[in-house]
Amino acid sequence: MPVLRAVALVLTILLFLVVVSPLYLLFIRFRPSARAAMPLLFCRIMCRLLRVRVRPRGEMARERPLLLVPNHISWVDIVVLGSTEFTAFLAKKEVAGWPLLGPLAKVQGALFVDRGRRRQIPAVNKQMAERMQAGDPVILFAEATTGDGTHLLKFHTPHFEACRDLMKAFPEVTTVYVQPIVIDYNRRDGLALGRAGRANIAWYGDTGFTPHLWSMLKSGPTECLVDYLPPRPMALADHRKAMAAMIQSDIRQNRWRRVP
């Protein structure tokens, strides 16, 4: 029942906030190598409660430093990607103020950006570069907002510059890898979704967070394909706009590939 799943979801988030997160932050002070465990567990539980079955195809690149660039459909994308591998992600500043999910995003090491203040871009890019240099894959939603699940929006390029900033700051790093990812909510209740079905799952326009969450809880099981495409190497001489265009082309050409 959706009401029971809603209660379970809220209780799970509260449990992680009040009990698990403080213990986790204390524990990783002594064992930093274990810091991926809590975010992975939380995202997998969230997917289970939302009845989203994540179906990876391919795998996250093992090369480092690594920037991940997926298409963006819903807030659910964050827990979907977070359920497959440990990552840091770039989020709009509004997410930090969301009830329950905001504090958890901070615990997971999210980087927040005010997209309306371009003067903050260099500082955010520096944070991204530092995280990538430390070995964390960083997720960049280059569309800067969510779409309807069918159309790919314009890619914004300023944060691709974080790759070049990293190589400038650390001359020993000569290559940063940029990996495109296709997210496709392709089935619900076992049936293939067309354009209208994808739009029902997408969180875009004026739809509020709570109504969309309730819609997800009421709906049947959803399958989400996460298609890791081959990464592209980026050197210091490469321009961010050229790299963004290639990644966007990779995603556009590989969307909605038929899955057996």
Side-chain angles (χ1 to χ4, degrees):
M1 292 179 62
V3 173
L4 293 179
R5 285 198 299 276
V7 171
L9 185 142
V10 171
L11 290 177
T12 297
I13 294 175
L14 289 174
L15 175 65
F16 270 85
L17 272 179
V18 177
V19 179
V20 178
S21 293
L23 295 175
Y24 162 77
L25 292 172
L26 179 64
F27 181 69
I28 61 174
R29 291 183 61 183
F30 301 99
R31 290 197 60 184
S33 60
R35 63 195 179 97
M38 195 278 280
L40 279 170
L41 177 62
F42 172 74
C43 289
R44 288 170 182 174
I45 292 175
M46 287 288 288
C47 285
R48 179 68 63 88
L49 292 172
L50 293 169
R51 296 201 290 179
V52 175
R53 179 194 173 203
V54 181
R55 188 175 177 185
R57 181 162 59 179
E59 63 178 9
M60 184 184 295
R62 297 303 158 193
E63 294 89 348
R64 297 292 184 272
L66 179 63
L67 180 68
L68 303 170
V69 184
N71 58 311
H72 199 12
I73 300 170
S74 169
W75 60 271
V76 185
D77 300 347
I78 295 170
V79 294
V80 163
L81 293 174
S83 72
T84 61
E85 297 273 359
F86 174 72
T87 57
F89 63 92
L90 189 65
K92 59 184 181 181
K93 71 169 186 176
E94 290 83 0
V95 173
W98 287 359
L100 301 181
L101 292 181
L104 279 167
K106 294 176 184 177
V107 169
Q108 289 183 257
L111 304 173
F112 298 103
V113 57
D114 185 347
R115 300 195 187 277
R117 300 181 63 183
R118 295 185 62 85
R119 287 181 297 178
Q120 289 190 355
I121 290 174
V124 174
N125 285 351
K126 181 182 178 184
Q127 293 179 60
M128 293 172 63
E130 291 171 348
R131 294 294 293 273
M132 287 190 286
Q133 175 61 12
D136 293 344
V138 174
I139 296 174
L140 169 64
F141 292 109
E143 294 167 279
T145 187
T146 51
D148 63 3
T150 299
H151 298 95
L152 195 62
L153 304 178
K154 175 186 175 182
F155 270 27
H156 296 258
T157 67
H159 292 300
F160 282 85
E161 190 67 16
C163 299
R164 298 180 73 251
D165 288 347
L166 190 159
M167 289 180 277
K168 291 175 184 177
F170 301 94
E172 68 276 15
V173 178
T174 59
T175 305
V176 177
Y177 294 88
V178 185
Q179 184 172 24
I181 301 173
V182 176
I183 299 174
D184 179 15
Y185 298 91
N186 61 339
R187 292 181 180 273
R188 175 166 276 176
D189 287 320
L191 301 176
L193 290 172
R195 179 174 303 196
R198 289 192 177 99
N200 287 333
I201 293 174
W203 180 51
Y204 69 109
D206 296 328
T207 305
F209 173 75
T210 301
H212 187 269
L213 171 60
W214 181 241
S215 174
M216 290 290 297
L217 291 169
K218 289 192 301 180
S219 300
T222 302
E223 180 178 278
C224 180
L225 173 67
V226 178
D227 199 354
Y228 291 96
L229 304 179
R232 289 186 176 272
M234 183 173 182
L236 184 58
D238 294 329
H239 197 281
R240 70 174 193 273
K241 291 185 178 180
M243 177 57 67
M246 288 189 290
I247 296 297
Q248 185 174 27
S249 177
D250 290 341
I251 293 174
R252 180 176 286 114
Q253 291 177 19
N254 287 276
R255 285 186 307 161
W256 329 143
R257 289 197 292 163
R258 189 171 298 280
V259 181

